[in-house]
């Protein structure tokens, strides 16, 4: 098979959709070498360069012009005789020729519909129109969790038989065993505490960092936060300053993937009290790193965390505090949960995800 991908996120996004796109192409090209994988975009970047250099992966520059992604990318895929076009971020091109080509779209979440207060009116309308149009055009839809599948059925009125759930994996750096020397070098580089809890993700209201900060207030537990700052950061910072927590809360940005994987391993506990996620990749990253997880008992997070993660009500910082203290003061319990969770998280390993993706491709070819 020849599979063409919308390469915009692959080449342009550093996290989230970019990581999903790069991991998907990498694992397919590794485990199903007989196929050809083509990334379509207006240009390349340094991101994913090692993947594009794989023998069965190539880059094709899309036709020039206004809205070429929407109006020309699909036709470009047909010109190169692709069997399948896979939109990796909830969108498909709008224009196609009569030449046969199967269409698949991945939908990550419908958070803009569940939490409209986080989005402008214009963004909500555009997102809904694009996602609805893509689900109508697609021969099959990939949802990245059972939660997202339920949302697609509920909000976009898509029949269940058109949707396949294929989980995400995570970057291979989280599955590697870094040397003790490297662990120490990262600890020194970022001046990390001897023991600490960790939170990773964009610092935005939905991710609920303020409740972690409130939970550690009155304790001496250090918190390390890694993520891009938004306006919500100001609210968190205000609480930190008011309660003199500057020495207890450390913010890091622009951390490389290898450094991030190391910091997960150095942390005692990963805390992720998000109000809603499409999947919750940081939970998987932490479990692969052998670090126990405290996360929310809502949306898809129990799917990602498994039965040995600790679950909290994200709206109750006292609950978060109690669970943090429970694990912080109990090393044997941390180790037990980390070990069991490492067994559980193997369901998200590269080979299983590659097989599930490839099964969707094979299925769509006979539809």
């Amino acid at each position: 098979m020849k599979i063409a991908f919308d390469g915009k996120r692959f080449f342009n996004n550093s996290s989230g959709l970019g990581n999903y796109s790069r991991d998907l192409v990498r694992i397919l090209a590794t485990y199903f070498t007989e196929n050809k994988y083509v990334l379509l975009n207006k240009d390349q970047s340094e991101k994913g360069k090692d993947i594009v250099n794989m023998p069965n992966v190539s880059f094709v520059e899309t036709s020039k012009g206004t809205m070429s992604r929407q109006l020309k990318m699909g036709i470009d895929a047909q010109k190169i005789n692709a069997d399948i076009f896979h939109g990796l971020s909830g969108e498909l091109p709008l224009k196609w020729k009569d030449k046969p080509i199967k269409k698949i779209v991945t939908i990550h979440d419908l958070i803009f519909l569940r939490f409209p207060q986080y989005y402008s009116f214009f963004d909500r309308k555009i997102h809904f129109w694009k996602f609805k149009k893509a689900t109508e055009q697609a021969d099959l839809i990939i949802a990245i969790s059972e939660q997202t599948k339920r949302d697609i059925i509920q909000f976009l009125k898509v029949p269940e038989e058109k949707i396949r759930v294929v989980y995400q994996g995570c970057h291979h750096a989280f599955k590697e065993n870094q040397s003790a020397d490297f662990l120490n070098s990262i600890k020194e580089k970022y001046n990390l505490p001897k023991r600490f809890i960790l939170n990773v993700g964009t610092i935005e209201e939905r991710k609920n960092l303020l409740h972690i900060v409130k939970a550690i207030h009155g304790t001496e537990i250090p918190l390390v936060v890694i993520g891009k700052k938004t306006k919500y950061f100001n609210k968190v910072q205000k609480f930190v300053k008011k309660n003199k927590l500057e020495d207890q809360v450390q913010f890091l940005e622009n951390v490389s993937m290898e450094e991030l994987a190391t910091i997960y391993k150095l942390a005692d506990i990963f805390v992720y009290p998000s109000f809603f996620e499409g999947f919750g990749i940081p939970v998987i990253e932490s479990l692969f790193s052998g670090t126990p997880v405290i996360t929310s008992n809502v949306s898809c997070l129990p799917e990602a965390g498994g039965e040995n993660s600790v679950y909290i009500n994200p709206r109750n910082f006292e609950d978060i505090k109690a669970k943090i203290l429970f694990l912080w003061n109990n090393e044997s319990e941390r180790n037990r949960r980390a070990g069991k969770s490492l067994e559980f998280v193997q369901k998200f390993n590269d080979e299983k995800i590659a097989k599930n993706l490839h099964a969707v491709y094979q299925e769509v070819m006979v539809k």
Side-chain angles (χ1 to χ4, degrees):
M1 289 185 285
K2 181 185 279 189
I3 300 110
F5 299 97
D6 179 347
K8 180 181 177 182
R9 308 298 182 183
F10 182 102
F11 292 114
N12 296 344
N13 288 46
S14 296
S15 58
L17 297 174
N19 288 337
Y20 172 79
S21 302
R22 288 183 289 273
D23 282 337
L24 181 144
V25 176
R26 173 181 61 80
I27 64 176
L28 283 169
T30 299
Y31 289 98
F32 293 93
T33 54
E34 69 275 17
N35 298 327
K36 292 181 179 176
Y37 306 97
V38 184
L39 287 149
L40 297 166
N41 198 41
K42 59 183 180 182
D43 51 32
Q44 288 182 260
S45 72
E46 288 299 305
K47 294 182 179 71
K49 195 173 181 181
D50 54 331
I51 299 167
V52 179
N53 288 334
M54 293 173 77
N56 50 355
V57 181
S58 60
F59 165 75
V60 169
E61 186 179 351
T62 49
S63 300
K64 305 288 186 190
T66 307
M67 292 184 69
S68 62
R69 184 168 171 242
Q70 289 78 17
L71 302 178
K72 297 178 180 178
M73 186 181 281
I75 296 167
D76 289 339
Q78 291 173 303
K79 281 179 184 173
I80 61 170
N81 298 314
D83 298 298
I84 297 170
F85 183 94
H86 188 168
L88 298 170
S89 57
E91 296 179 58
L92 285 172
L94 302 175
K95 201 167 182 182
W96 305 85
K97 296 288 188 187
D98 290 336
K99 191 173 184 178
I101 186 169
K102 298 294 185 178
K103 305 176 190 75
I104 292 173
V105 66
T106 295
I107 294 185
H108 297 260
D109 62 68
L110 297 177
I111 293 171
F112 67 95
L113 293 172
R114 281 198 165 272
F115 292 86
Q117 66 270 30
Y118 299 146
Y119 298 82
S120 71
F121 174 82
F122 181 74
D123 283 347
R124 291 199 308 272
K125 291 296 180 188
I126 290 291
H127 287 337
F128 182 83
W129 186 84
K130 283 180 178 178
F131 281 39
K132 183 70 174 167
K133 188 76 176 171
T135 59
E136 289 168 355
Q137 289 188 83
D139 294 286
L140 284 176
I141 298 157
I142 291 175
I144 63 163
S145 67
E146 293 290 345
Q147 175 67 59
T148 296
K149 177 183 173 179
R150 291 193 293 270
D151 285 354
I152 294 168
I153 294 167
Q154 178 183 343
F155 292 111
L156 300 181
K157 309 303 179 193
V158 174
E160 183 176 3
E161 58 269 20
K162 197 174 179 179
I163 307 168
R164 304 291 177 269
V165 175
V166 181
Y167 289 118
Q168 285 183 255
C170 67
H171 196 278
H172 55 81
F174 300 96
K175 302 160 195 172
E176 293 169 356
N177 291 316
Q178 292 88 347
S179 69
D181 286 346
F182 188 69
L183 289 170
N184 286 329
S185 70
I186 298 304
K187 198 165 193 172
E188 287 178 15
K189 176 179 177 179
Y190 290 105
N191 193 28
L192 297 172
K194 187 176 180 182
R195 293 182 66 197
F196 61 93
I197 64 172
L198 177 68
N199 175 258
V200 175
T202 305
I203 302 172
E204 59 182 330
E205 194 162 349
R206 178 173 55 84
K207 304 282 189 182
N208 199 23
L209 173 60
L210 183 58
H211 270 43
I212 308 179
V213 178
K214 286 182 177 179
I216 64 164
H217 180 42
T219 76
E220 294 183 354
I221 299 172
L223 167 64
V224 174
V225 180
I226 302 175
K228 183 181 173 186
K229 295 170 182 171
T230 68
K231 284 182 181 177
Y232 173 73
F233 170 76
N234 297 328
K235 190 186 286 189
V236 177
Q237 187 74 330
K238 186 178 177 183
F239 185 90
V240 167
K241 287 183 176 177
K242 182 181 177 184
N243 293 281
K244 299 181 171 57
L245 296 171
E246 291 94 338
D247 293 337
Q248 202 173 334
V249 183
Q250 183 177 354
F251 294 95
L252 304 177
E253 281 188 275
N254 302 315
V255 175
S256 75
M257 197 64 78
E258 288 70 25
E259 290 173 336
L260 178 62
T262 303
I263 295 170
Y264 269 109
K265 287 183 172 66
L266 291 167
D268 279 51
I269 309 164
F270 177 68
V271 188
Y272 198 68
S274 176
F275 291 124
F276 196 90
E277 295 292 325
F279 183 56
I281 284 291
V283 170
I284 301 300
E285 292 170 346
S286 185
L287 297 184
F288 270 117
S289 302
T291 300
V293 167
I294 296 173
T295 190
S296 304
N297 58 3
V298 298
S299 73
C300 63
L301 291 163
E303 275 184 78
E307 64 181 24
N308 285 285
S309 290
V310 175
Y311 294 98
I312 49 87
N313 174 355
R315 301 190 181 279
N316 184 346
F317 74 86
E318 293 288 359
D319 186 26
I320 300 170
K321 175 179 272 190
K323 302 291 173 54
I324 289 172
L325 287 169
F326 165 67
L327 283 187
W328 183 260
N329 294 320
N330 196 332
E331 184 179 6
S332 62
E333 187 65 9
R334 291 199 306 275
N335 292 340
R336 185 189 73 79
R337 288 178 181 272
K340 291 283 188 184
S341 293
L342 191 55
E343 292 174 24
F344 161 79
V345 82
Q346 298 311 312
K347 70 186 280 188
F348 304 112
N349 70 30
D350 288 355
E351 187 173 3
K352 285 190 178 180
I353 291 167
K355 284 178 178 175
N356 291 338
L357 283 165
H358 200 255
V360 177
Y361 292 165
Q362 289 179 313
E363 181 184 356
V364 82
M365 288 303 296
V366 298
K367 278 178 78 72

